[in-house]
Amino acid sequence: MNDPLPAPGDGPAISRRAALKLGLVGVLGAAVGAGSTAVIARLGRAARPRYRFFTDAEANLLIDICEQIIPRDDVPGATDTGAINYIDRQLCGRLSRHQETYRRGLESFRQTCLQARGAPFGELAPAAKIEALRSLELGEAPRALWGDPSAPEFFNLVLSHTMQSFYGSPRHGGNRDYASYRMLGLDYPQVVGQNRYKKA
Amino acid sequence: MALRHVNAVVVGAGAGGGVVAKELSEAGLSVVILERGGWVSFEEHGQDELINQRTTVLGDAYGPDDRSPRVAETGPGRFEVVLPHEGGYNNNAACVGSGTVSYGAMAWRYMEKDFRMRSTYGAPEGSTLEDWPISYDDLEPCYEKAEQQVGVSGDMSANPFAAPRRRPYPMPAFPYNTEGRILEAAAKRIGLHPFPIPMLRNSVPYGGRNACVHNRYCCGFACPNNAKNGTHNTMTPRALATGNCELRTHSIAKEVVVDDKGLARGVRYFDATDAEQYQTADLVVVSGGAIETARLLLNSKSRLFPNGAGNRYDWVGRNLQGHAYCGADGLFEERTFDDVGPGATIAVSDFNHGNPGLHGGAALCNEFIRPPYGFSGMRPPGQPSWGKAHKDFQRMFYKRSVSVRGPVQEMPVFDARATIDPAVRDHWGIPVVRLSGSRHPHDVEIGRVIAAKAEAWLKEAGAVATWTNVPGLGLSGGQHQAGTCRMGSDPKTSVANRFGQVHDIDNLFLSDASLHVTNGGFNPVLTIMALGFWVGGHISSRWKDGRLT
Amino acid sequence: MSPRSWSRIVLGLALYCGVFVVTCAVGGMAYFHFANPQNTCASCHEMTGVHSDWAVSAHRTIQCRACHGGALTLDVHALESHVDRIVRHFTGDPNKPVRLLEKHVQGLVDSCQRCHPQAYSDWQSSRHATTYARIFLDPEHNKTASPTDDCLRCHGMFYERDITELVSGTGTGGTWSLRDAARATQPAIPCLACHQVHAPSDATQTASFFDHRERAHFSASLLPVPAVYQGARPVKVSRDPRQRVCMQCHAPDATHQLGSSDDRTPAGVHEGLSCRDCHWSHTNSAKASCNACHPADSHCGIEVQKMDTTFLSPQSRHNVHTVACLDCHPGGIPAKKVASGSPADLP
């Protein structure tokens, strides 16, 4: 910027130059602005994590565990009713203190299955899956793989959270379509008249 | 700016504080109530099974929040910080009305012997069991006031063990639900004396409030119909209506200031903006619930009471007790569920006293409706708690089960106690309470016997499978917390005198279950309210010419 | 450099920044306004459920912004709630449920009317088109009851706070008043009380009940069929899902006895019928409904619409919901006198 000071009365030339500059700045700004829009759009299309807390692999393992706890039969089970959604949501909310327990517990369980059963949990036969969880519940899992949490601690945590998801209100992320209340034949919402008026 | 001096400051707007504040305001004293919570209603959490006073897995619907931690003994010599929704915390609701907003609302009078436990039974080894310095007869007019003014539905005519009363209940008893009818017939067959549970709930419109419509979700929840009577919708509004009372919500008491003459001068507290305030008063009433009352006294150090107000002989915070709940569950072939809430309708008082070899006992009642998540944990021993078997059990028995429960009267233990943690402080920088100790082994023994009685009752009622629930030795407290500042005539073995006045501090009073010497074999709330009338009446009678005489 | 040229540099930079920010903002907002919501709002967890319900709903051809407003919509409420949601997404509690505020629900009544003018005018003629004033300032009712949160289960169900903030006055003195007088003329049972926009086109899905306690819509097919008893006898209750919506408020008391409290479940000659068999949707009128099933004359030869029931006159002792032949013929049902039609036509 070494422009000489504009002389008084030299108005038109200066304003033309200024207008040119102004236009340039405007075009530059607009170009960057438009570019940024494209960046926003790209961000919009970028693959997003499916869960708030879990990785996809953790979530798939946990979904499988929950489904053993409340399996689907003629009525929906843990997977259908969104147990993973409840746990994932609450781990980023009210139950956030259990995040590490899940992270470590799921990893310990993954290794336990490989070590004790020679295959990932997802590839086990249905009966073997139940057996694998039962040994967690009873604390029969390899000790070297479990410390904090212990195997029963981890199992009982998942158990209670799965029950909460299935029987709690859908507002917390599970019990999709109030499936458990319909399973129990429990009127929900409860219908109670107020007995206020004489009826017509 | 200094706050305007008042006649009385009441700490806590629960069952005890609500009544005392109303009594004092009506007697013409200027009163300020400091309540650590706010007004709550049904609206925020509705009928949410995961956030209410009974099930707190996703939080405490009625407070306090995580700004108020405690420290609990989780093993011998092992202490951990616990939050309000965790079991070891022993929470009482923090809101206007406290537990009376969301309680099941059973309205028991204690029995005559409940005030004379030591002279009736003698203290078992390791227990500080003692008689109350007042008798049932002393308290009877106050029970009556609580029943009439707060509102109770009941009928004791079928209960031969009930202590005498001068006036009937102001509202008729609730009818039995299906469980009640099944249990009534069975009880009569085995020689028990069943009767409807008295309830602080309107069976007919009363006091300008509606009659109960029998919602399923009641115990643990605020009432959407204003048919459940707590101090928040009876006593506190009456206190405020006098024009003599000011309620300051979200006000956290820090200490009672005691001067060098041994008189209480007022209360330091943090207001809703966390600013420290000092409210001076002619007299102070502490009604924080057994645990918080003890904490406040212990935190109130002065020259004359360096270990806390009223703690000259190290009795503040001692003898923490609640109820050792025991009982039995039964499964039925017939349908027992009728969805007529809240579900607890029938009781027997046959086992409160007179159990051979036992020091006391418990009333037995059928349980409130078990919501679905709660029921998922109700299983006979050995029954799988998950998998297809879990689902089948839920479907088969959710509507075919009955539970009978009894609050076992506990033997006070000197080392079951609330002290001040040396390190942990709450959001406001106030040292928090540390809970330690355990129940007396005799509680478990009583629990085992009473649970067997409950099981026999269920079997007679036709249960195809039954199992018992016996309490363990873990420290007791919870919503029925009591005993930490017991009343007594000897200042060396008690904290307050028979009128709830702290020994040696002439103008400092207590009015909550901390005064209970023993806690009866019943839910304690009506007794706490009656004590509120007792203490409030005493203060009013001493209040002459604008001062305490 | 001279102060003049400094000031020109600053001016130029400011200009550049200004243009940049404005272009970015306009570009970004335009993108958010027009792009597929799956790439914008609905890509966040809290929105995916709402969006996927909408994507299979009867209203899927209507863009989000038509009802909710977009980034370029000049509506203070819409902008405020969008910004609030974004802020909460990054800072606050992301689990806070996404739902319309009452002012939005009230505003939607006009949007519904644009495409459904007939339904709107029918509803306007019905008693369901009631207002806050008519419900909460009824002196006759208020003499016997005190305001409670449970009132909001069936009226003012979108009200967001405690009843004590809506109505002042306690007890049974009949002295309730609305704290906000402007609310008096607002609908107390707006369209969304019984309908949800984000529901499949099936009538049993769009017909739904907004449960105030859950703050959620229950589509009719998910609502329970409450048991109703006449004494110990279970009454046959229609399986029509739409009736379940009615029963949420026209409900028996906790004993579930027929005709208790606000229950209108049909029994007697009409047992098993759905509310919707006789009452027109939106007007709720039962006018001329008899003809749908009945021949002009009844089994005993009397014109059905002229029989002594509450259909003819509200003062009748015989409630048309529960009337049985024996109510008028205690001595026994007379022989068939009817000329046209046959008993087989009767329900």
Side-chain angles (χ1 to χ4, degrees), chain C residues 136-147 166-179:
Chain C
F136 291 98
L137 304 182
D138 174 352
E140 192 207 339
H141 171 270
N142 299 353
K143 259 184 259 168
T144 58
S146 62
L166 176 67
V167 182
S168 64
T170 52
T172 48
T175 55
W176 305 16
S177 63
L178 291 169
R179 288 188 193 275

Side-chain angles (χ1 to χ4, degrees), chain A residues 68-77 86 90 94-95 97 129-130 133-134 137 155 159-160 163-169 171-172 180-181 183-190 192-194 196, chain B residues 44-51 56-60 66 83 85-86 210-211 213-217 224-225 335 337 339-341 372-373 376 379 385-388 390-392 394-395 398-399:
Chain A
Q68 310 310 312
I69 291 173
I70 304 181
R72 176 196 297 163
D73 46 18
D74 50 334
V75 297
Y86 170 86
Q90 298 308 329
R94 196 63 214 182
L95 301 177
R97 66 192 179 283
K129 284 185 179 174
I130 291 171
L133 290 176
R134 187 121 183 88
E137 187 183 20
F155 178 81
L159 174 64
S160 58
M163 293 298 167
Q164 288 162 21
S165 84
F166 193 65
Y167 294 109
S169 162
R171 68 165 89 173
H172 302 302
S180 67
Y181 305 147
M183 175 184 97
L184 297 174
L186 192 63
D187 287 356
Y188 201 94
Q190 188 189 14
V192 189
Q194 282 277 4
R196 292 286 178 86
Chain B
E44 195 179 347
H45 295 292
Q47 50 188 13
D48 197 318
E49 199 203 330
L50 303 184
I51 310 178
T56 56
V57 292
L58 293 184
D60 289 278
D66 293 352
L83 296 174
H85 66 271
E86 293 170 319
N210 304 306
V213 299
H214 297 282
N215 275 311
R216 179 191 306 149
Y217 300 99
N225 204 32
R335 189 168 148 151
F337 180 89
D339 218 359
V340 179
Y373 171 63
S376 76
R379 290 293 183 275
S385 56
W386 55 280
K388 175 126 172 63
H390 155 80
K391 250 177 143 181
D392 289 342
Q394 292 281 101
R395 279 183 287 225
Y398 182 68
K399 293 186 171 181

Side-chain angles (χ1 to χ4, degrees), chain B residues 10-17 34 36 70 90 92 253-256 284-300 307-311 315-318 320 418-420 431 433 435 481-486 495-496 500 502 508-516 528:
Chain B
V10 177
V11 180
L34 302 176
R36 61 182 169 147
R70 281 180 185 159
N90 285 291
N92 230 349
K254 179 190 172 197
E255 66 171 319
V256 178
V284 173
V285 185
V286 180
S287 307
I291 294 174
E292 289 298 316
T293 287
R295 175 190 177 204
L296 184 59
L297 293 193
L298 292 170
N299 276 332
S300 301
N307 298 320
N311 199 31
W315 273 71
V316 173
R318 300 279 188 179
L320 176 62
T419 54
I420 298 300
V433 103
L435 301 171
Q481 56 186 257
T484 53
C485 303
R486 66 161 55 165
V495 175
V502 173
L508 176 58
F509 297 85
L510 309 179
S511 179
D512 58 24
S514 67
L515 291 173
H516 292 199
I528 300 171

Side-chain angles (χ1 to χ4, degrees), chain B residues 112-123:
Chain B
E112 291 137 301
K113 282 181 185 169
D114 293 330
F115 295 87
R116 296 186 265 111
M117 288 296 284
R118 188 188 175 101
S119 39
T120 303
Y121 297 106

